[in-house]
Amino acid sequence: MVFIGNHSQFVDSVCAIVVKGQWGNLLKVKNASVLTSSTIHQVLLQLSFYGYGLSHSFPFFKWLDSIPHYSHSMQCSWAMIHILTRHKHFKTAQHMLEKIAHKDFLSSPSVLSTLVRTHDNPEVNSQVLSWLVIHYAKSKMTQDAIQVFEQMRLHEVKPHLHACTVLLNSLLKDGVTHMVWKIYKRMVQVGVVPNMYIYNCLFHACSKSGDVERAEQLLNEMNIKGVVCDIFTYNTLISLYCRKGMHYEALSIQDRMEREGINLDIVSYNSLIYGFCKEGRMREAMRMFSEIKNVTPNHVTYTTLIDGYCKTNELEQALKMRELMEAKGLYPRVVTYNSILRKLCQDGRIRDANKLLNEMGERKVQADNITCNTLINAYCKIGDLKSALKFKNKMSEAGLKPDPFTYKALIHGFCKTSGLESAKELMFSMLDAGFSPSYCTYSWIVDGYCKKDNMDAVLALPDEFLSRGLCLDVSVYRALIRRSCKVERIECAEKLFNHMEGKGISGDSVIYTSLAYAYWKVGNASAASSMLEEMARRRLMITVKLYRCFSTSDASENNVSQIFWNHVVDRGLMLRNTMNKIQQMLI
């Protein structure tokens, strides 16, 4: 073959060679240098345009992969995927798409926009881009899936229903419920007509956010559109109603299922039983248990009832339920044991709790953090810190990591027994482990030092943070100042405030309100006004939540408190909406 100077003529020549199957001619020196991915892309498009089937283009495409130093560009691969899809070779097209999905920023808007415009077949674009959404969503690359979906919307390409369902489920798994509604709205805008599976995703979103009103709107919408509900729809609604304590509504769904010939499964029964147990209505829970038909109670069923009895102080009934569970061939798992352990520890029956723990070991039931924390907390409550620490060490030996509850229980235990240095060390260990102590944690330590009249130890805490290389931010000062004010150690609070400002850290609404309120209570109106003036200057507002922290039920303080809040209102430190909410609370 002689080299042809004009590029379009060269593309025509290559097409002719491909059709004849004389691919070897393309490797001749003169031709190989111009056999670029751009040329191949044009060849594939031209072969497709002139109606040559897969028998020509796909073998040629695969043959090119064997050429040294040649690799298909994104455009070439995309063109081949389109050709395969158009000829119904879906599996091959999908496999090829998944291979290029993580290359060359395929999900980026600019790349996708170019590719979509290159091939204007809406049906094929819909199929290919829907596959891409599914692939990214299943690969936990939700943001990429959203970007593909957005390009589909912008180019008015309608996604397949399955792609919509997978994307919505991916968002639910990521816990971004608000995005579910945004994406759903956009789906409807591009002409997607929701089916039962999409509605089920939306019900799941309602369940996660506890939105009963929206769930009921969806149910009405399904009824109007004639979309049939399935067992998942009804189970999600029952679970939502039960968690909200809406038993009548939950039982109404049960009636509706029976009228429609849908048998309750064990998930349905478990949700209904849980709803009653949650509110301590064990008689109704047991009646529902006795009504179970066509399905077999499982671990969840028995554990829910056992936990319910434990929470209503009916340990004997809980143990009888455990015996019934074992008689049915279901042996307790860690969650079941935890419920009984919690009750034994609450009743101070530590010895029995340890026997149960030994039984778990004999039955090869692995203890979890809840098991260990329950016993650690129990030991701390009775002041046996030695056993509590011993158990913490066992926990680490078993490969379990202490969590915030572990540290809080131990810190509280040491503060109660005046082991303040140990409590402080545990607080720093908690910070080293990546957990932030709560206000309660700091309060216990401040209270402990206050009882010992050692406020210098409290004042030294911020510098200890720095000496240990820990982050010293406003949250630490907030907790220390707030608690110091609460226990009427205003001098200590002032020094902490000055220390904070000396470090260049600005106080927030909680800090200023704490100091202002403390000054007001001891009759230092001038200092209180000064704090409120600074709040007004910095536009720091008082919220309903903050008001609740300072409102008191003590009649002797009520008058002082009311005058203070009137003073705050006069200075414009509360929004009108906040004032209205507070007035409603006081009615």
Side-chain angles (χ1 to χ4, degrees), residues 74 78 97 104-119 125 128-129 132-133 136 144-152 155:
M74 178 73 76
W78 192 260
L97 181 66
D104 303 321
F105 309 103
L106 178 55
S107 65
S108 72
S110 56
V111 173
L112 268 179
S113 185
T114 304
L115 293 172
V116 173
R117 282 198 301 268
T118 307
H119 302 271
N125 270 330
V128 174
L129 292 169
L132 198 54
V133 168
Y136 281 136
D144 295 83
I146 291 171
Q147 285 183 177
V148 176
F149 172 78
E150 279 300 305
Q151 284 304 307
M152 293 179 81
H155 289 90

Side-chain angles (χ1 to χ4, degrees), residues 290-429:
S290 67
E291 288 175 7
I292 292 176
K293 55 186 177 183
N294 303 322
V295 289
T296 307
N298 59 15
H299 278 93
V300 176
T301 320
Y302 289 105
T303 299
T304 303
L305 288 163
I306 288 167
D307 189 59
Y309 276 126
C310 287
K311 285 176 178 173
T312 53
N313 297 317
E314 297 176 86
L315 183 59
E316 291 309 310
Q317 288 299 118
L319 295 174
K320 282 181 184 177
M321 187 54 64
R322 180 196 153 173
E323 286 174 13
L324 177 62
M325 178 184 184
E326 292 190 5
K328 298 290 183 182
L330 295 170
Y331 291 94
R333 294 174 183 169
V334 67
V335 180
T336 319
Y337 278 112
N338 285 345
S339 293
I340 300 170
L341 269 172
R342 192 184 301 113
K343 180 58 186 161
L344 289 170
C345 289
Q346 281 173 358
D347 292 349
R349 294 169 61 177
I350 308 293
R351 187 172 293 176
D352 289 332
N354 274 303
K355 282 181 184 176
L356 199 64
L357 191 70
N358 291 334
E359 183 188 302
M360 286 174 69
E362 288 165 8
R363 292 189 172 187
K364 301 288 188 289
V365 177
Q366 186 68 47
D368 62 8
N369 272 44
I370 294 171
T371 319
C372 299
N373 286 339
T374 301
L375 279 153
I376 288 169
N377 192 45
Y379 281 125
C380 288
K381 279 185 175 178
I382 60 170
D384 188 354
L385 276 303
K386 187 178 177 182
S387 295
L389 284 173
K390 191 177 175 183
F391 215 87
K392 177 181 173 283
N393 293 334
K394 280 185 180 178
M395 184 179 179
S396 300
E397 286 166 12
L400 297 169
K401 291 183 179 179
D403 58 25
F405 189 91
T406 319
Y407 288 108
K408 280 180 73 175
L410 288 164
I411 291 167
H412 193 211
F414 276 109
C415 286
K416 277 171 66 182
T417 56
S418 300
L420 291 170
E421 288 306 305
S422 296
K424 189 173 70 174
E425 286 306 313
L426 279 162
M427 180 189 72
F428 286 123
S429 296

